[in-house]
Amino acid sequence: MWQTLARCSAFKNGTSEKHDGAEVPQPFCYQHRMKRALVTGITGQDGSYLSELLLQKGYEVHGIIRRASTFNTDRIEHLYKDPHDPEARLFLHYGDLADGTCLRRILERVRPDEIYHLGAQSHVRVSFDEPEYTADIDATGTLRLLEALRDSTGVSGKTVRFYQAGSSEMFGAAAPPQSETTAFHPRSPYAVSKVAAHWYAVNYREAYGMYIACGILFNHESPRRGETFVTRKITRAAARIKLGLQQKLFLGNLDARRDWGFAGDYVEAMWLMLQQERPDDFVVATGESHSVREFVEATFSYLGLDWKSHVEIEPRYFRPSEVDHLRGNPSKARERLGWSPRVTFEQLVRMMADHDLEMARQEKTLRDAGHVAGIRGGGRE
């Protein structure tokens, strides 16, 4: 269904003109019948939940995706309608945070009211292996987008509200609980890059008067979390062990403590930040923390398994510099935004385990029928 993306995603009910015998779509007249949002990282966990929320609120949603030889759009598959459909309100554009010219072109084409900048190389452990790439996309990529926006709004005179996705990893070695006033002490190339992106955003807000809100989100998970992230790695492995599809789960530091919430709750906080009269920085968290060991115990116990019989420690999964304890203080978000998490830690674990158990059942059914193809998760729960 994505074959028409490159030609059609930027146009909606537009006219056409003849150029050298070819019919070229002309841009839709951007009279604002509804708010228009642009989302980087739209195919990720947060991007998919945020797109759902914005569509429910009546937005027209535009997303930036990187060109790939295989489709990576399964998380938003259920939201998509063909661009020719007059009811379509989700449109995708090829682009990359490494290409500032392309970003400027997309901004001029979409003319958004709000930008949600979620795109990043977001895997902490991978950032140690690819530090230059992580810095280029997460830090300099944010700068490219801010510069493109500054140029674009300088010409149009339009105020565009910008959300910068920060991370609790920016706090790193700082003592918990961490709040908006806690000093950053990053412990990975990913965290350092996110700190740089945060300060770029703050600087552009202060220097140019741009509406830029920074959300410092603590760990947020869901059935749509990438399978290489520790929470999803745990629930997926436990479900497969339950059905005899694998025997062992290899993990790194079980003592690391994190403040885990549900991604579907956290995207609401992103939206609320851009609805305030003035932009500001907000910590988004549950206010409680659990160790990786506790997450393992809760998952395996829920599925009726003894985790000690299946979990082994793999030293190569340890980080060169560890972050021991992250626990956020979300009081500002609660008081100023009226936001609080709805899904508890136990509910989150069960939600993810149930999803991955169903995926494992489907995989087992295929195997029992003689097929070898696995099934990737990531769609609707």
Side-chain angles (χ1 to χ4, degrees), residues 190-359:
Y190 167 76
V192 171
S193 300
K194 277 295 187 179
V195 169
H198 173 84
W199 286 120
Y200 281 138
V202 172
N203 179 250
Y204 272 60
R205 180 173 69 202
E206 295 176 351
Y208 304 113
M210 298 169 67
Y211 190 110
I212 301 174
C214 299
I216 306 175
L217 272 60
F218 281 63
N219 294 63
H220 44 290
E221 318 297 319
S222 76
R224 301 179 193 175
R225 189 56 142 156
E227 295 165 7
T228 60
F229 289 83
V230 67
T231 53
R232 185 76 194 288
K233 185 177 179 180
I234 292 167
T235 58
R236 185 169 182 268
R240 297 184 81 249
I241 289 169
K242 175 74 173 178
L243 297 185
L245 296 170
Q246 73 181 68
Q247 293 301 315
K248 294 292 183 179
L249 167 62
F250 296 93
L251 295 172
N253 182 10
L254 297 184
D255 295 320
R257 299 185 66 85
R258 295 293 184 268
D259 186 328
W260 278 303
F262 173 51
D265 289 341
Y266 284 37
V267 298
E268 183 182 12
M270 299 178 189
W271 177 78
L272 286 169
M273 289 180 211
L274 296 196
Q275 312 314 307
Q276 307 306 302
E277 183 178 353
R278 291 188 179 90
D280 206 343
D281 305 333
F282 293 91
V283 160
V284 179
T286 69
E288 64 180 58
S289 63
H290 300 269
S291 68
V292 175
R293 180 179 282 101
E294 288 177 73
F295 200 103
V296 171
E297 290 174 343
T299 302
F300 278 73
S301 175
Y302 178 62
L303 294 177
L305 299 169
D306 176 11
W307 72 273
K308 293 180 181 178
S309 300
H310 300 283
V311 175
E312 293 189 11
I313 302 302
E314 171 54 70
R316 69 189 178 96
Y317 292 145
F318 283 81
R319 301 176 185 178
S321 51
E322 186 56 80
V323 173
D324 296 319
H325 192 178
L326 295 175
R327 176 166 58 89
N329 176 358
S331 58
K332 182 177 176 180
R334 183 171 57 248
E335 294 163 7
R336 293 267 301 277
L337 304 178
W339 178 88
S340 60
R342 298 185 181 92
V343 176
T344 67
F345 174 76
E346 292 76 17
Q347 290 170 333
L348 176 64
V349 169
R350 294 176 182 180
M351 177 196 304
M352 295 176 66
D354 285 340
H355 173 273
D356 282 335
L357 186 59
E358 175 58 27
M359 301 308 293

Side-chain angles (χ1 to χ4, degrees), residues 72-124:
N72 60 352
T73 53
D74 41 328
R75 290 187 181 98
I76 57 173
E77 190 84 13
H78 61 290
L79 302 175
Y80 179 82
K81 291 184 180 180
D82 188 280
H84 300 92
D85 187 331
E87 300 299 317
R89 288 190 288 117
L90 173 67
F91 304 95
L92 302 178
H93 308 262
Y94 286 125
D96 199 299
L97 292 169
D99 186 345
T101 301
C102 179
L103 296 174
R104 172 67 187 270
R105 187 179 301 121
I106 292 172
L107 287 175
E108 291 178 347
R109 181 181 298 161
V110 175
R111 300 180 190 176
D113 301 291
E114 298 173 358
I115 296 175
Y116 295 86
H117 179 36
L118 313 181
Q121 189 300 99
S122 58
H123 199 287
V124 176

